[in-house]
Amino acid sequence: MSDNPIALIVLAAGQGSRMQSDLPKVVHRLGGVPLVGHALAAGRAVEPERVVVVAGHGAEMVRKAVGKLDPEAAIALQEEQLGTGHAVLQALPLLDGFEGRVIVLYGDTPFIGEDTLLALSSHPADVVVLGFEAADPGRYGRLVVGPEGLERIVEYKDADAATRAIRLVNSGVLAADASLLRALLPQLGNDNAAGEYYLTDIPALARAEGRRVEVVTCDEAETLGINTREELAAAEAAFQSRARARALEDGVTLSDPATVWFALDTVIGRDAVIGQNVVFGPGVTVESGAEILPFCHLEGCHVSSGATVGPFARLRPGAELGGDVHVGNFVEIKNSVLDEGVKVGHLTYLGDAQIGAGTNIGAGTVTCNYDGVGKHKTLIGANAFIGSDTMLVAPVRVGDRAMTGSGSVITEDVPDDALALGRARQVTKPGLATRLMQALRQKKGQ
């Protein structure tokens, strides 16, 4: 990596009309997170001192998404979309005082790799353009390279037959020194059919001043841009394929790789086992040696070594599973900590709870954590036994080694070592069932 400081500008102002959506294009999700999150995540490889995202259409939605993904990123507003050069110009005031290299990325181009960004950040040229050898150059702008580097960028409509035969094309990604951008961006003209100010004119302006302009190349797959729903679906397939391959290479067992879906930030340790039809939302860490059985959905949670989850379990944000915890079928856990060795076999909801080590939670248990206004905490101690079909009305505490009887509604704290019963006394009426059924049949017959 270069010793020079790095700043990122991520262009995310476009509407994306071809998406046929009311949402800004960059907030559509890929790998569980908004598209712009991929550019921000990739940019972390160069350890930027500053990050600026340029928003325009749906700016408030973009601001909200970026705030969750990278709270330190600044937002520049491009109120009128007048081209990529104009967008970068809107970001410059937020880089006041910054002296170093600026890399311009696109919020709808999610696959730029770490090595590529490092090459852009460390190249000694004054301006560096990212290009790629296209299998089908189509209508891309061609990069004409000579002995002294990049000579010019020629748009398809302006290219002659010889230039159109060039397969080295422009990705739109560019890196340049901040001081040079400050000098050149105001010089951009808009004498073109669209009346816009194009960032692709910067290399020519730089060469006119005797600056060195070069090309860094990457694989074409890194430059995949997303403009339509079909392209978004293709990008999702490509992302999942890479994520699955990476997990297998890292020593994770995937019973049926094609049915496992990852998020951008999914972390799974080696020797973990992932069953069929498992979906990882954002913010999931699964430690080495844990097992996620088929048909589970996990988001914003942590699963420790030796734990087993599923089948058919749901872990929601804030779920923290300690070592050797077992969460079984049709169990939902949200914002709860389960200490080592807790067993939650089936048909249970635990929300806003703290469960002590070695405790057993019976089938059908529910923490009644919401009173219609606020959420409340349930605390269960170590080595407790919660009987099946127990309703724990929070706020409530069940002590260490305490028990609740099956079918109980627990509304008061239960001391350590105590048994709590919260159910009505059973009343038995001999012969009444038969008489009732006879009466019902007679009534129906009438």
Side-chain angles (χ1 to χ4, degrees), residues 45-394:
V46 295
E47 301 177 7
E49 284 190 6
R50 301 196 200 179
V51 177
V52 180
V53 177
V54 182
H57 287 287
E60 194 53 41
M61 284 186 278
V62 175
R63 187 189 304 274
K64 183 177 179 181
V66 171
K68 292 180 179 179
L69 296 163
D70 190 344
E72 295 183 0
I75 302 293
L77 184 61
Q78 187 187 24
E79 293 184 358
E80 190 176 4
Q81 281 66 62
L82 297 176
T84 52
H86 179 259
V88 175
L89 192 62
Q90 310 315 300
L92 284 187
L94 296 174
L95 296 181
D96 280 351
F98 174 81
E99 296 300 333
R101 172 144 296 187
V102 177
I103 301 177
V104 180
L105 300 175
Y106 294 84
D108 61 355
T109 304
F111 294 139
I112 301 293
E114 178 178 334
D115 290 344
T116 297
L117 290 174
L118 291 173
L120 288 169
S121 68
S122 61
H123 200 288
D126 298 301
V127 177
V128 185
V129 172
L130 180 63
F132 61 96
E133 292 279 347
D136 178 11
R139 303 187 68 84
Y140 285 109
R142 297 331 196 243
L143 299 180
V144 181
V145 178
E148 297 182 0
L150 178 63
E151 295 181 350
R152 62 190 187 278
I153 301 174
V154 183
E155 297 303 325
Y156 177 85
K157 65 180 182 300
D158 300 323
D160 58 24
T163 304
R164 290 181 178 181
I166 295 173
R167 293 177 57 195
L168 181 63
V169 300
N170 183 29
S171 72
V173 173
L174 176 146
D177 291 339
S179 58
L180 186 58
L181 283 177
R182 292 188 184 101
L184 297 182
L185 281 169
Q187 300 180 36
L188 291 175
N190 65 342
D191 185 16
N192 52 65
E196 296 185 346
Y197 300 88
Y198 293 134
L199 191 64
T200 50
D201 291 338
I202 288 292
L205 292 173
R207 282 188 63 87
E209 291 194 359
R211 300 301 190 109
R212 182 181 171 192
V213 182
E214 297 282 358
V215 175
V216 164
T217 59
C218 68
D219 187 85
E220 183 174 3
E222 291 186 42
T223 68
L224 175 67
I226 295 172
N227 298 294
T228 66
R229 302 279 186 165
E230 183 177 7
E231 290 173 352
L232 181 63
E236 185 71 56
F239 171 84
Q240 294 300 336
S241 179
R242 295 178 189 182
R244 293 159 186 156
R246 186 165 55 249
L248 293 169
E249 290 170 1
D250 289 343
V252 178
T253 295
L254 304 180
S255 301
D256 186 1
T259 67
V260 178
W261 289 73
F262 293 91
L264 176 62
D265 60 353
T266 304
V267 177
I268 304 179
R270 65 189 300 171
D271 294 322
V273 178
I274 312 300
Q276 302 92 326
N277 295 289
V278 172
V279 175
F280 294 101
V284 176
T285 300
V286 178
E287 291 187 8
S288 300
E291 182 172 8
I292 313 298
L293 281 77
F295 295 98
C296 291
H297 188 284
L298 296 81
E299 179 179 0
C301 62
H302 178 269
V303 180
S304 296
S305 180
T308 61
V309 178
F312 296 99
R314 184 182 183 195
L315 302 185
R316 293 171 59 192
E320 294 277 343
L321 274 55
D324 298 315
V325 163
H326 170 63
V327 171
N329 52 290
F330 304 107
V331 172
E332 179 179 345
I333 299 176
K334 186 270 296 181
N335 194 32
S336 296
V337 178
L338 279 60
D339 291 340
E340 184 174 1
V342 169
K343 302 292 187 291
V344 190
H346 28 242
L347 301 165
T348 291
Y349 170 70
L350 299 178
D352 301 292
Q354 173 85 44
I355 315 296
T359 286
N360 185 85
I361 307 294
T365 295
V366 174
T367 56
C368 306
N369 57 326
Y370 184 52
D371 63 5
V373 176
K375 299 292 182 70
H376 302 281
K377 192 86 171 176
T378 297
L379 302 175
I380 301 175
N383 299 305
F385 183 90
I386 306 301
S388 296
D389 202 27
T390 294
M391 302 290 111
L392 297 157
V393 183

